[in-house]
Amino acid sequence: MSVGAMTVVAESPQSSAASEQAAGATWSRNRARFARPVLGLLLPVTAAVAWEFIVRMGWSSGRLVPPPSVVFQTFADLWRTGDLQRDTIVTLGRVAAGFGFGVAAATIVGAAAGYSPLIRRLLDPTLQALRAIPSIAWIPLFILWLGIFETSKITLIAVGVFFPVYLGLMGAIQSVDRKLVEVGHAFRLTGVEMVYRILLPAVLPAYVISLRSGLGLGWMFVVAAEFMGASEGLGYLLIDGQQLGKPAEIVAAIVAFAIIGKVTDWMIALAAAPFLRWEDVVRRD
């Protein structure tokens, strides 16, 4: 037997073991990837099944809190008539516009306030006072200024998005380790390089969290916005269900808010994941 053949024979068991280990690691990662969503659905699905069981057994009438089967039938009816699709698209458009304007303004103001102590002392007290105003309190003023149409609704959503993004970004910039900045100066980085290579990676994780918080408040504020004379939107479904005594329609609108809100939050996390891969490397090290 040649030396090469003996080498292949000697190395093949090790190669086979390495391949099996790699396959096992891949299977474990895939299983964990699918197990996490299933685990997250465990609580709501269990609660829904339990309530359906209680109503079917006659222990509750389910009139004020309809069981999942009735809510699902309401979803199907709204889908068949096209109301659900139309109202969902309208609400999504309002949230998207308000979120965009709110994030743009909050990013500019938050970055300036975090970077400059003078701007922070000038603006932050007023912004903190405005942050304490309830969303409902803005409605009469926005109607007076902007009318009852889309401009006032989008403005109200933008106000709700602004404050968590502003606070998150300003706090993240202030909390950047000054030693990292000194290292950048030691390596003679330019201003653009300092932002790109040091400040942005340090600030981005907190900024993404603030974006997700702002989006959550945007979904809350859109309900208040759609109370302002809206004739379309998921918030309108809530009002329509209340006025017509349709609790299943109210619950269906709430469930729709929950599903769409979770999906949009997941989309932000998914879009930010490629820019935060360095965190996984740091944790492994």
Side-chain angles (χ1 to χ4, degrees):
M1 182 180 293
S2 65
V3 176
M6 289 190 294
T7 303
V8 171
V9 172
E11 289 181 353
S12 59
Q14 296 178 356
S15 301
S16 177
S19 300
E20 291 178 359
Q21 290 178 356
T26 302
W27 167 252
S28 299
R29 285 195 299 269
N30 292 335
R31 184 175 57 183
R33 187 179 303 162
F34 287 107
R36 282 192 293 267
V38 171
L39 189 62
L41 291 172
L42 183 61
L43 180 60
V45 170
T46 302
V49 171
W51 184 245
E52 182 75 28
F53 177 77
I54 289 172
V55 174
R56 292 292 179 92
M57 294 297 294
W59 298 339
S60 175
S61 65
R63 186 177 64 85
L64 296 179
V65 184
S69 58
V70 176
V71 176
F72 180 80
Q73 183 61 46
T74 303
F75 264 115
D77 294 340
L78 291 171
W79 182 273
R80 186 171 58 253
T81 59
D83 292 339
L84 182 62
Q85 300 93 308
R86 184 187 67 249
D87 292 331
T88 300
I89 291 172
V90 169
T91 298
L92 271 173
R94 288 167 179 161
V95 173
F99 183 74
F101 286 120
V103 167
T107 301
I108 295 172
V109 178
Y115 184 79
S116 171
L118 176 61
I119 296 177
R120 184 166 60 254
R121 295 190 189 99
L122 181 65
L123 296 180
D124 192 61
T126 302
L127 292 176
Q128 295 297 341
L130 293 175
R131 185 171 68 92
I133 299 175
S135 60
I136 301 298
W138 291 104
I139 293 178
L141 193 60
F142 285 167
I143 290 177
L144 183 63
W145 286 351
L146 305 172
I148 62 173
F149 300 106
E150 294 302 304
T151 304
S152 58
K153 296 176 176 60
I154 293 172
T155 303
L156 182 62
I157 297 167
V159 168
V161 171
F162 175 87
F163 291 107
V165 178
Y166 159 76
L167 285 174
L169 181 57
M170 182 184 67
I173 293 175
Q174 288 182 275
S175 63
V176 172
D177 191 346
R178 299 305 168 190
K179 293 180 181 178
L180 296 176
V181 179
E182 293 173 3
V183 169
H185 289 308
F187 281 94
R188 300 179 183 275
L189 297 180
T190 64
V192 175
E193 290 175 334
M194 184 78 73
V195 171
Y196 179 73
R197 300 183 64 178
I198 293 180
L199 293 180
L200 189 59
V203 168
L204 194 57
Y207 183 60
V208 171
I209 293 175
S210 68
L211 288 178
R212 296 173 68 179
S213 299
L215 179 63
L217 277 182
W219 282 108
M220 295 180 188
F221 272 59
V222 75
V223 177
E226 290 180 341
F227 284 170
M228 296 191 293
S231 59
E232 292 178 314
L234 294 176
Y236 170 74
L237 277 182
L238 293 172
I239 301 173
D240 184 67
Q242 177 199 8
Q243 293 177 342
L244 299 180
K246 298 179 179 179
E249 185 173 308
I250 297 174
V251 175
I254 292 173
V255 172
F257 270 119
I259 294 173
I260 300 171
K262 175 57 182 174
V263 170
T264 52
D265 177 79
W266 173 77
M267 290 172 64
I268 290 180
L270 188 65
F275 302 100
L276 299 176
R277 286 176 180 168
W278 60 270
E279 287 188 307
D280 298 331
V281 176
V282 172
R283 293 191 188 102
R284 285 198 297 268
D285 294 341

